[in-house]
Amino acid sequence: QVRLVESGGGLVQAGGSLRLSCAASGRTFSNYAMGWFRQAPGKEREFVAGTSRCGGRTFYADSVKGRFTISRDNTKNTVYLQMNSLKPEDTAVYYCAADYMERRAYDLWGQGTQVTVSS
């Protein structure tokens, strides 16, 4: 079983960049599809980006397409979210999640990392 810990959040100016990391413990990281979600105050948690078990396929919410890039390094048990051209509306707590064997159910979650984008 994988445990997830996010890092890399912080305060950036609009137009800036930030890279989030999600470090996984456990021996079966490559068995999990991975995703990033975010939740802003007063809003529902929303899907941001996802990647298949080997990183060959990626998926993005329309709101971040062309600006964010998800990637993974299975040798390091880490998934990344490169965030470019950040906007104030990207401000949220970002969560890493794992979907065992791509069952279409994210049942493992990290505790989140805060991203704040100033205008």
Side-chain angles (χ1 to χ4, degrees), residues 34-48:
M34 301 297 298
W36 287 96
F37 294 74
R38 67 186 182 187
Q39 187 168 24
K43 298 184 66 177
E44 299 289 326
R45 183 174 297 184
E46 64 174 335
F47 170 80
V48 175

Side-chain angles (χ1 to χ4, degrees), residues 21-89:
S21 298
C22 175
S25 63
R27 298 169 58 88
T28 58
F29 179 70
S30 62
N31 289 335
Y32 293 81
M34 301 297 298
W36 287 96
F37 294 74
R38 67 186 182 187
Q39 187 168 24
K43 298 184 66 177
E44 299 289 326
R45 183 174 297 184
E46 64 174 335
F47 170 80
V48 175
T51 184
S52 58
R53 287 171 291 173
C54 295
R57 297 181 297 279
T58 57
F59 310 90
Y60 299 94
D62 288 342
S63 59
V64 306
K65 197 172 299 180
R67 299 188 298 120
F68 291 8
T69 302
I70 187 171
S71 62
R72 68 189 297 161
D73 187 341
N74 287 352
T75 69
K76 298 180 179 179
N77 280 14
T78 303
V79 62
Y80 306 94
L81 185 67
Q82 179 66 47
M83 309 164 70
N84 298 328
S85 301
L86 283 162
K87 305 174 181 179
E89 50 263 45

